[in-house]
Amino acid sequence: ITLAINAKEGRAVVTADVEGAYLHAKMDEVVMMIFEGDMVDYMVAANPEKYGPYVHATKSGKKILYVELLKALYGCIKSALLWYKLFVSTLEEMGFVLNPYDPCVANKMINRKQCTICWYVDDLKISHVSLQVVNEIVSIIEKRYGKMTVTRGKKHVYVGMNIEFTDDGEVKILMSEYIQEALDDFPDDCSHEVKTPAGEHLFEVNDDCVKVNEPKRRIVHSVVAKLLFISKRARPDIQVPIAFLTSRVTKVDEDDWKKLRRLLEYLRGTINMPLTLSIDNMNIVKTWVDAAYGLHHDMRGHTGGIIMMG
């Protein structure tokens, strides 16, 4: 929704990537790491005096080096949290306040206009009506964390989304590359043209239907996971079939395979259809919600809702 607000207010938008974000955070507990084999030689070659004296060898002759991590390293469970806390502390020092409903959104009033920073791990989106203000925020962050990869202008690639702001207050979101990846991963021909992402029999389950083999089940699981990611960002029109298929990934049968193929056929025909967002009134928020009881094969219900501004 922040993208639509950016478009409505005509904000200048910058997306940026903090290089080696985790390594800026310090480990807050003792974490030991073991290097073995060739990795030991690499470490010693990088700093012979520091690592050479601590190299050990097993009875079989394999080299081993024990080190203590001083910085948060990619792959450690706590690293993401340590980086998050560090980055939040930086924003708070700059006068930003976290959104109480989304801890990865921070706001600050600058020149009587709101400046918003959204981030996903180390990917930032900074917006304000003044490009100068945005550039100043980027400079402050770069002084703390080093030079960033920065994109300015109307077009951005952010968290897998191709984003384009238009001159008439709209924003278009496209994820064609991700859709093509899903199509490439699915072995069947998906060139048949269909008008909708699912048929009326979507929720029907036949207990006697033949289960697919394990390789095909893995394909379904992988493709559905990709489409789930897409559906939440750029293609809300496929959320109903995805909601069903995500419940079937561990027990895929031939019918499920056909339903996924139908969905991919629809996406192939609409691969370049963007999600277009616009707001006509930010002071009016409307919500619709509905539920169907006992709709699924296991007698579970199904809910859905939509929130609109203006």
Side-chain angles (χ1 to χ4, degrees):
I1 194 168
T2 61
L3 292 173
I5 293 174
N6 295 160
K8 169 68 175 178
E9 296 185 343
R11 295 193 189 189
V13 176
V14 162
T15 52
D17 177 34
V18 181
E19 300 290 342
Y22 286 6
L23 298 177
H24 291 285
K26 295 180 179 179
M27 269 293 176
D28 61 353
E29 60 183 358
V30 176
V31 178
M32 303 304 295
M33 185 173 180
I34 304 174
F35 290 100
E36 299 179 350
D38 292 341
M39 287 301 301
V40 175
D41 295 332
Y42 298 148
M43 294 294 290
V44 173
N47 196 327
E49 295 181 359
K50 184 174 183 179
Y51 298 115
Y54 299 99
V55 176
H56 302 276
T58 64
K59 292 181 180 180
S60 62
K62 182 171 67 174
K63 296 178 182 179
I64 294 179
L65 174 64
Y66 292 88
V67 300
E68 179 184 350
L69 290 182
L70 301 180
K71 297 285 188 176
L73 189 68
Y74 287 80
C76 295
I77 294 175
K78 290 190 67 175
S79 295
L81 178 60
L82 293 172
W83 157 248
Y84 172 82
K85 289 182 176 179
L86 176 64
F87 186 63
V88 167
S89 68
T90 299
L91 295 181
E92 290 176 340
E93 290 173 4
M94 295 167 61
F96 282 86
V97 178
L98 291 184
N99 185 304
Y101 299 100
D102 189 333
C104 289
V105 176
N107 293 290
K108 178 184 178 181
M109 298 301 293
I110 302 177
N111 299 334
R112 298 199 298 179
K113 297 292 184 179
Q114 187 184 65
C115 179
T116 302
I117 300 180
C118 307
W119 68 98
Y120 179 81
V121 188
D122 55 0
D123 294 317
L124 317 180
K125 183 174 74 67
I126 308 169
S127 65
H128 188 273
V129 293
S130 168
L131 179 59
Q132 180 181 348
V133 169
V134 175
N135 288 334
E136 289 173 355
I137 296 298
V138 169
S139 297
I140 294 172
I141 295 175
E142 286 185 329
K143 286 180 181 179
R144 176 66 177 83
Y145 299 110
K147 199 68 177 177
M148 298 188 294
T149 303
V150 178
T151 302
R152 297 175 174 84
K154 298 286 188 179
K155 295 183 179 181
H156 300 264
V157 178
Y158 183 71
V159 197
M161 299 179 291
N162 287 289
I163 301 167
E164 180 177 2
F165 294 97
T166 66
D167 294 328
D168 55 359
E170 294 182 342
V171 59
K172 298 182 182 295
I173 304 169
L174 197 62
M175 296 184 71
S176 301
E177 292 86 354
Y178 275 82
I179 295 175
Q180 188 60 55
E181 283 184 17
L183 288 166
D184 293 341
D185 290 345
F186 196 73
D188 284 11
D189 177 22
C190 296
S191 60
H192 179 66
E193 184 178 340
V194 296
K195 298 296 185 183
T196 60
E200 294 181 357
H201 60 287
L202 173 66
F203 293 153
E204 295 178 9
V205 176
N206 180 6
D207 292 330
D208 297 326
C209 188
V210 178
K211 295 290 190 291
V212 301
N213 58 36
E214 182 59 17
K216 292 182 73 172
R217 188 204 67 78
R218 289 180 179 274
I219 291 173
V220 171
H221 201 154
S222 175
V223 171
V224 169
K226 282 186 173 71
L227 298 183
L228 175 62
F229 180 78
I230 295 168
S231 72
K232 294 296 184 181
R233 285 159 177 78
R235 296 301 298 262
D237 52 329
I238 67 169
Q239 285 189 0
V240 172
I242 284 299
F244 172 79
L245 289 170
T246 52
S247 70
R248 301 290 301 171
V249 293
T250 62
K251 47 195 172 186
V252 181
D253 59 30
E254 292 291 346
D255 286 343
D256 299 320
W257 182 269
K258 294 175 183 177
K259 291 170 184 176
L260 177 57
R261 184 175 62 207
R262 161 69 179 260
L263 176 55
L264 289 170
E265 290 170 344
Y266 169 76
L267 286 172
R268 183 182 181 277
T270 59
I271 191 169
N272 292 316
M273 182 178 72
L275 170 64
T276 303
L277 300 177
S278 64
I279 299 175
D280 56 8
N281 189 332
M282 292 196 297
N283 295 320
I284 299 176
V285 178
K286 299 178 181 180
T287 302
W288 293 263
V289 64
D290 200 359
Y293 175 75
L295 186 64
H296 290 278
H297 180 66
D298 56 5
M299 292 306 295
R300 290 185 179 182
H302 199 106
T303 61
I306 186 170
I307 300 175
M308 298 183 68
M309 299 186 74

